[in-house]
Amino acid sequence: MFSADLLAGQTILITGGGTGLGRAMALRFAGLGAKVGICGRRPDPLAATVADIRAAGGTAASAMCDVRDPVSVKMMVDSLEAELGPLTGLVNNAAGNFLSAAEDLSPNAFDTVIKIVLNGTFHTTSEVGRRWIERKNGGAILSIVTTYAWMGSAFVLPSACAKAGVLAMTRSLAVEWATYGIRSNAIAPGPFPTDGAFSRLMAGDIEEQVKKQIPLGRFGRPEELADLAVYMMAPGASYMNGECVVLDGGEWLKTGQEFGHYTDFDRGAVKQIFQSMKRSR
Ligand code: HXC
Ligand code: NAP
């Protein structure tokens, strides 16, 4: 899909890059020539991802960090830049989420998700953005939100509020920081089966029901998201700014469409019903 050295010369930080979608992006970016820095709270997934990238001939480094803490973020960026050189790209991917009825959320439960997703994205973005503004070289920011960032979702209230905030941050900075050559974009994924997300969010047989909402009939593959992220982070995407690209197999359109559920039935049978309902004036 891409030329082998598409990201040569790029140095990209991916928060939460040791697992799931972050790991998929880290492997893909490095495979296309980028130097990749990853961070997270647990050392083991970080070490494993760095080892896998290096084993494949790529360049990667990791630093432990809790994105809720701006001091930890600064130390992490210092450490990664010392090892890899100045960053040219930032992917805000770290997140926290869980299912809960809104009325059962404690203040700390709400705070915890907001602080990881919204405040954490602010801390990394401002830490890296300030460096780029000072260096006058520009940069590319990509934030991973979700399709419920603009329509909200039951039972994930803190995440919905935080992702809506990240989308607003993306669009605000797309205008404010364009003058510094900094592009700011987002991807809104539908469901991608990662352990982090599915172990927390897919209860009982809901997984099969959710799959039926997706016109393409399957969940996304992390490599598909990684390829979209490559495009959006590549120097050739230099005019893309303030965009949020949905990657969900058409799910959010179907759930919002009045007659989309006719697609759940045998097409021949549906057409017969339509014919039988055809009326002349
Ligand atoms: C209600 C909960 C809860 C739950 C935690 N809390 N889990 N409340 N239901 N299931 C409450 C706790 O009781 C506590 O409040 C507060 O939240 C903080 O909990 P801790 O366990 O101390 O927090 P921490 O150790 O910092 O862990 C953060 C976390 C955890 C968010 C709770 O799940 C985590 O580390 N997640 C990271 C990975 C992740 O979530 N990945 C999924 C991303 S998927 P009290 O009041 O008791 O002190 C995604 C989008 C998917 O974002 C979209 C799919 C389509
Ligand atoms: P995941 O594997 O759980 O990824 C979350 C990552 O964030 C983990 O590596 C985690 O590492 C890191 N993280 C969490 N809290 C952190 C903190 N305080 N400081 C630093 N790092 C932290 O789940 P995923 O599915 O790949 O999710 C990746 C992104 O995609 C998230 O933004 C999520 O909201 C978004 N998304 C996922 C889906 C999906 O279906 N998978 C759908 C829509 C959007 P540590 O725990 O080690 O810190």
Side-chain angles (χ1 to χ4, degrees):
M1 191 158 172
F2 302 115
S3 64
D5 60 350
L6 184 73
L7 296 180
Q10 306 301 311
T11 305
I12 302 174
L13 163 60
I14 304 167
T15 65
T19 65
L21 301 181
R23 174 181 155 87
M25 287 186 275
L27 293 167
R28 188 68 168 129
F29 290 0
L32 292 167
K35 291 191 270 183
V36 173
I38 57 174
C39 70
R41 293 165 300 174
R42 289 167 297 156
D44 291 353
L46 296 174
T49 300
V50 167
D52 288 346
I53 289 173
R54 289 180 181 161
T59 305
S62 70
M64 278 167 66
C65 167
D66 188 328
V67 294
R68 290 172 283 195
D69 173 12
V71 176
S72 170
V73 168
K74 182 182 182 316
M75 286 167 63
M76 175 269 294
V77 177
D78 279 344
S79 151
L80 291 176
E81 289 204 320
E83 195 166 345
L84 299 174
L87 295 173
T88 62
L90 165 67
V91 180
N92 289 307
N93 167 80
N97 203 355
F98 50 72
L99 290 170
S100 174
E103 63 272 25
D104 296 336
L105 287 167
S106 69
N108 190 36
F110 186 80
D111 237 34
T112 297
V113 173
I114 297 288
K115 280 184 173 160
I116 298 172
V117 177
L118 182 56
N119 296 24
T121 299
F122 172 73
H123 295 144
T124 50
T125 299
S126 62
E127 183 59 46
V128 173
R130 282 197 195 108
R131 293 175 193 229
W132 287 342
I133 291 166
E134 200 179 308
R135 291 172 192 155
K136 299 184 168 62
N137 284 330
I141 301 168
L142 178 65
S143 295
I144 310 301
V145 296
T146 79
T147 46
Y148 56 69
W150 47 92
M151 57 187 170
S153 176
F155 304 118
V156 286
L157 179 73
S159 172
C161 295
K163 294 290 192 182
V166 172
L167 188 54
M169 196 186 308
T170 300
R171 291 172 170 157
S172 303
L173 291 177
V175 175
E176 187 175 336
W177 281 0
T179 191
Y180 303 121
I182 298 172
R183 300 187 295 116
S184 183
N185 293 295
I187 294 177
F192 282 70
T194 65
D195 184 52
F198 274 40
S199 66
R200 288 177 173 86
L201 302 173
M202 296 291 184
D205 67 354
I206 195 85
E207 194 171 317
E208 280 312 304
Q209 288 187 43
V210 172
K211 203 183 281 179
K212 286 192 188 125
Q213 294 178 166
I214 303 172
L216 286 178
R218 63 171 175 85
F219 294 125
R221 301 182 189 110
E223 315 83 73
E224 292 171 325
L225 182 133
D227 277 342
L228 176 60
V230 166
Y231 171 79
M232 293 173 78
M233 295 301 284
S238 45
Y239 201 55
M240 182 180 268
N241 187 30
E243 187 55 78
C244 179
V245 180
V246 173
L247 193 71
D248 72 343
E251 183 192 27
W252 85 280
L253 291 173
K254 179 174 174 184
T255 51
Q257 283 185 7
E258 194 66 44
F259 299 110
H261 287 293
Y262 280 122
T263 61
D264 293 342
F265 304 102
D266 174 75
R267 189 59 57 93
V270 166
K271 285 185 174 188
Q272 269 184 10
I273 291 168
F274 292 167
Q275 277 300 324
S276 72
M277 291 172 72
K278 198 171 172 186
R279 28 184 304 182
S280 53
R281 273 193 295 143

